[in-house]
Each structure stands twice: as C-alpha cells, then as structure tokens.
Amino acid sequence: MSFNVSVLKKDFPLLSREENGEPLIYLDSAATSQKPQKVLDVIDSYYREINANVHRGAYRLAEQATTAMEEAREKVSSFIKSDRSEEIIFTKNATESMNLVARSWGESNLNEGDVVLVSSLEHHANIVPWHQLAESRGIEVRWIPLTESGLFDLTDLDRLLDGVKLVAVSGASNVLGTVPPVRMLADAAHNVGALCLVDASQYVPHRPTDLAELGCDFLAFTGHKMCGPTGIGVLWGRSELLESMPAFLGGGEMILDVTKEGFTTNTIPWKFEAGTPPIAEIVGLGAAVDYLESVGMENVLDHEKTLTSYALQTLSDRFGNDLIIHGPNDVSVRGGVLSMCYQDVHPHDVSQILDSHGVCVRAGHHCAKPLMKLLDVNATVRASLYLYNDESDVDALADALEATGQFFSP
Ligand SMILES: Cc1ncc(COP(=O)(O)O)c(C=O)c1O
C-alpha cells in the first residue's frame, strides 16, 4: 500500500457514517466519489467570504471571486499537464463537454457519410451525441468491437478507420474497467486525418493524466468523480480547434460585442462559458485537484492496482464460477471497476442485500446499454474502488455477497 488508507479515510466525513450500526462501505465511486473535508471547506468559505459574480465586477470582492475561479482553471490545467489554461473550458459535467464537441465541432465539420468511430463499451454520454449527429447530419456511428476479455479488438483497425473524422473513445470503462490504448488510437486517427476525443471521466480521477502522452485533441471529464462537487465538468481542447469552433451556447460572458444586428464571440475559454459559471463548484474542483495532488496520482494509481488485484483474487477464490466478473483480469489494462453477475440472482436483488450489510454498490446498465447487449445481460452489479477503499472494504463486499448467496439458497 503506497499510502495509509485508514488515515486518508478520515479526510472524508461521509465515510464515518454508519448503516444499521455498521460502518458504511462505499464502493460506488465510479458513479460519484466522496468529498474530502478540504473541498467542503473551500466551497463553504467561498460563499462566506468571497461570493460575487465573476468577470464583470469592478470592486475588490468580485475581483477575488474572479481570481479564485481563474486560479482553479490554472490548477485543472496543470493537473492534466496542459500548458495553456485557456484550453480548459468549464462545463456542467462530462456529458455537456462531449455534447459541446458534437454540437460545435461536429455540426460545423461533419457531413453526410462522415464516420465517428466509438467503441462498444462507451457510456451513453459518448454515444447519444453522435447518434444525434447521425440524425441531424447523416453521419455514420461505427463501433470498435471488443475481445472476449473486454479489450478493444483492433485487428481490423485499418478498415474501421476508413472515412473516419473523429475517434471518440473512453479512457477507462465505467463498466469493465478496461483502459484502452488511447495513444495508439489517437496516432491512428491522426494518420487518417481524423481527430481523437477521449472520455476521461473514469481516467482523470484515477491515474496521472498527461495530455502529451495521450496525444488526443479533446479530453472530457467530470468533477464529481474526482473528489470535487457536482455541477462542474471540463472540456480540454487544442486551442487552434477551440478557436475555430463556433460558440455552443449564447448569452452573457461569451461575447465581445452585441448589436441589434449580431454579436462577436469572446476569446477562449470564455467563448464556451455562456452565463454565470458555477463559480463555487469551479473553486471546489480546484480544491479537489489540490487534494489529489497532495496524495499524488502515482500513489492513487499504485494503490488502486494493488487493491484491484486483491479484489479480483479474493472474489475469485471465494466464489469461483458462482461469480462472473466482466472485463480484463490484467490490472495493467484495467481500473478498479468490478462489474459482476452473481449466480442467477438479479443485480437489483444483490445490491439490496448488500445495502442491508452497509455495502453501497450500483446495479443496472450503468448507462452503457450497447455493452450490456454485447455481454448478453440486462444489468450487472458494479463495485468500484477509489483511493479511500482498502482490503477491509473488499472483504466486506465478499462477506455481504456470501450472505446474499445464503439468502437466496433454496
Ligand atoms: C465513462 C463515463 N463517461 C461519462 C460519464 C458521464 O458523467 P456525467 O454524468 O458527470 O456527465 C460517466 C458517468 O458515469 C462515465 O462513467
């Protein structure tokens, strides 16, 4: 273990909550992470001490709020190793970030017959915006198949890339944990003149992010899965692309001038930030970045790898063929998301029994219905690990699963 989880757990007030007299076991961080006290404090003191609207106030308080917001942009920028903070666009969430690319870049660059290549394990947020473009512009949405173990099957990549204008793939799957070879896909996209968008919602919170290593053109992620508040997401894009793209939403903040005849747009990033931004959430995201950096993202990654290995081993030792864990076994190509089917018990029943033992997991299609169809299931039980989980959480999951088996045994 590269850091002391029992100490770190104390940073997260909600993790001291009890369920039925037992400590809460939170294994649903792929849905949303818990928040450290430092993030809560920063949001609280933002409202208590410097709350004012940003960018247009000519008084000290408004300047302080503006500075806090723009400092958070700098923090997010350096967290993903961007050297230009104007390339960081604040959105509502990852979903909005990908819709921004589809609506702004897609509507002005894609035409009938152009192809957007996605993978078969994508979240709906990286599917539906392209389906919408298929309806509005006649583009084709094409699918990278998966291998039996849930990796990208790239044997036919040359054919898959024919006519492609955008490769839009997940940096890490929210269902299988799979971490695809993004750099290789970005290079392959560029070789055929296409761009590459990475849905990094499950990537940025869990491992060091280096844009130069990823080699993509757009990166979308969401604050609430990385110890930050809800209501704040990020789109990073190459400045030359962002500059050439039309504004997404219109209104205040995003203009330089407005007349009765028309308007001119602001420079990036504000061109894409219409209206009053979620200032407290942005400042809170900056605090989340500070927190994760204080732990160290290399440490987070090492810890999650060790814990994922432990979970895969423990669950397979204890349940054998009674428990199917979808996705790759090799922790060098997967994150700590464990999607499971237990005997023939419905995932919702499993999660209800786990809940009665204080174990929070998610049951359902995880907003990845095409993947569910491929796996030939309607739903799975998903346990997801984060920096504040340890072996005792995995053991509690295994014990509660055993109790589930006993509950449903004839
Ligand atoms: C891989 C992936 N992409 C996108 C999203 C959407 O995130 P948000 O709902 O914050 O926009 C999620 C959230 O579950 C996700 O796991």
Side-chain angles (χ1 to χ4, degrees):
M1 202 69 67
S2 39
F3 51 80
N4 189 336
V5 179
S6 52
V7 173
L8 190 140
K9 264 188 196 208
K10 298 200 172 75
D11 294 340
F12 294 80
L14 193 138
L15 295 179
S16 61
R17 175 180 158 143
E18 295 194 341
E19 284 297 310
N20 311 322
E22 302 280 329
L24 180 96
I25 310 292
Y26 188 74
L27 294 172
D28 196 20
S29 297
T32 198
S33 70
Q34 294 305 338
K35 321 301 173 198
Q37 185 65 48
K38 283 187 179 152
V39 169
L40 306 179
D41 288 346
V42 165
I43 295 170
D44 185 67
S45 62
Y46 167 78
Y47 279 122
R48 285 178 193 279
E49 292 160 24
I50 57 169
N51 175 50
N53 211 334
V54 289
H55 294 141
R56 40 196 153 190
Y59 52 94
R60 244 171 66 80
L61 187 65
E63 278 165 18
Q64 282 177 340
T66 306
T67 303
M69 171 173 157
E70 294 305 328
E71 277 176 3
R73 197 187 306 273
E74 298 283 342
K75 288 176 188 179
V76 172
S77 172
S78 87
F79 192 60
I80 59 170
K81 298 203 169 44
S82 154
D83 45 19
R84 307 187 64 176
S85 64
E86 68 271 23
E87 295 182 332
I88 300 293
I89 313 289
F90 288 125
T91 60
K92 188 170 66 185
N93 47 36
T95 303
E96 188 177 283
S97 299
M98 286 181 272
N99 275 274
L100 193 165
V101 176
R103 291 299 155 92
S104 172
W105 180 83
E107 293 277 359
S108 45
N109 286 281
L110 297 178
N111 295 304
E112 181 148 5
D114 287 342
V115 179
V116 172
L117 182 64
V118 299
S119 86
S120 303
L121 55 65
E122 298 307 317
H123 187 282
H124 296 163
N126 192 27
I127 298 175
V128 180
W130 314 119
H131 275 330
Q132 288 175 312
L133 276 184
E135 280 177 13
S136 66
R137 315 231 8 121
I139 67 152
E140 179 194 339
V141 182
R142 194 176 289 159
W143 300 82
I144 300 173
L146 302 181
T147 66
E148 277 290 308
S149 58
L151 300 172
F152 283 18
D153 181 350
L154 298 172
T155 40
D156 227 359
L157 185 58
D158 287 346
R159 191 190 53 77
L160 285 172
L161 282 168
D162 186 37
V164 166
K165 292 286 177 341
L166 179 74
V167 174
V169 289
S170 174
S173 161
N174 66 317
V175 180
L176 303 178
T178 311
V179 175
V182 166
R183 178 55 192 251
M184 183 271 221
L185 287 164
D187 289 347
H190 294 151
N191 284 340
V192 296
L195 298 181
C196 176
L197 174 150
V198 175
D199 172 5
S201 305
Q202 303 287 348
Y203 184 102
V204 171
H206 299 282
R207 51 190 68 227
T209 303
D210 184 336
L211 289 170
E213 272 173 24
L214 288 171
C216 58
D217 304 285
F218 296 108
L219 190 86
F221 55 103
T222 200
H224 67 96
K225 296 188 202 285
M226 53 185 286
C227 299
T230 52
I232 178 66
V234 176
L235 174 69
W236 169 84
R238 290 188 193 283
S239 49
E240 62 275 20
L241 285 170
L242 295 174
E243 273 155 8
S244 71
M245 286 157 51
F248 171 46
L249 299 173
E253 298 274 338
M254 51 71 71
I255 50 89
L256 281 183
D257 194 18
V258 183
T259 62
K260 283 190 172 168
E261 288 70 43
F263 68 98
T264 51
T265 47
N266 207 338
T267 51
I268 60 167
W270 304 291
K271 173 168 97 175
F272 292 108
E273 294 179 356
T276 299
I279 311 163
E281 288 78 1
I282 291 171
V283 173
L285 178 60
V289 164
D290 284 343
Y291 179 80
L292 288 173
E293 276 185 338
S294 73
V295 176
M297 292 310 292
E298 283 291 351
N299 293 333
V300 172
L301 177 60
D302 284 351
H303 168 66
E304 287 188 27
K305 270 191 182 164
T306 310
L307 191 57
T308 305
S309 296
Y310 178 79
L312 290 169
Q313 193 62 53
T314 303
L315 294 170
S316 125
D317 288 350
R318 284 183 63 173
F319 299 99
N321 292 337
D322 278 348
L323 187 74
I324 295 167
I325 304 180
H326 296 283
N329 245 317
D330 175 0
V331 293
S332 69
V333 288
R334 63 124 63 234
V337 175
L338 306 162
S339 271
M340 305 172 281
C341 292
Y342 185 48
Q343 296 172 344
D344 55 358
V345 185
H346 193 281
H348 286 105
D349 292 336
V350 175
S351 88
Q352 216 175 336
I353 308 271
L354 296 189
D355 180 48
S356 70
H357 291 266
V359 179
C360 309
V361 295
R362 188 142 297 243
H365 55 62
H366 317 297
C367 296
K369 289 192 94 172
L371 176 58
M372 292 295 118
K373 193 155 187 209
L374 202 68
L375 298 175
D376 198 21
V377 295
N378 288 323
T380 70
V381 178
R382 183 186 72 186
S384 50
L385 308 168
Y386 203 16
L387 73 172
Y388 38 64
N389 294 118
D390 59 14
E391 280 91 344
S392 71
D393 297 320
V394 174
D395 293 343
L397 168 69
D399 291 345
L401 272 174
E402 205 163 295
T404 309
Q406 280 156 12
F407 184 87
F408 284 105
S409 70

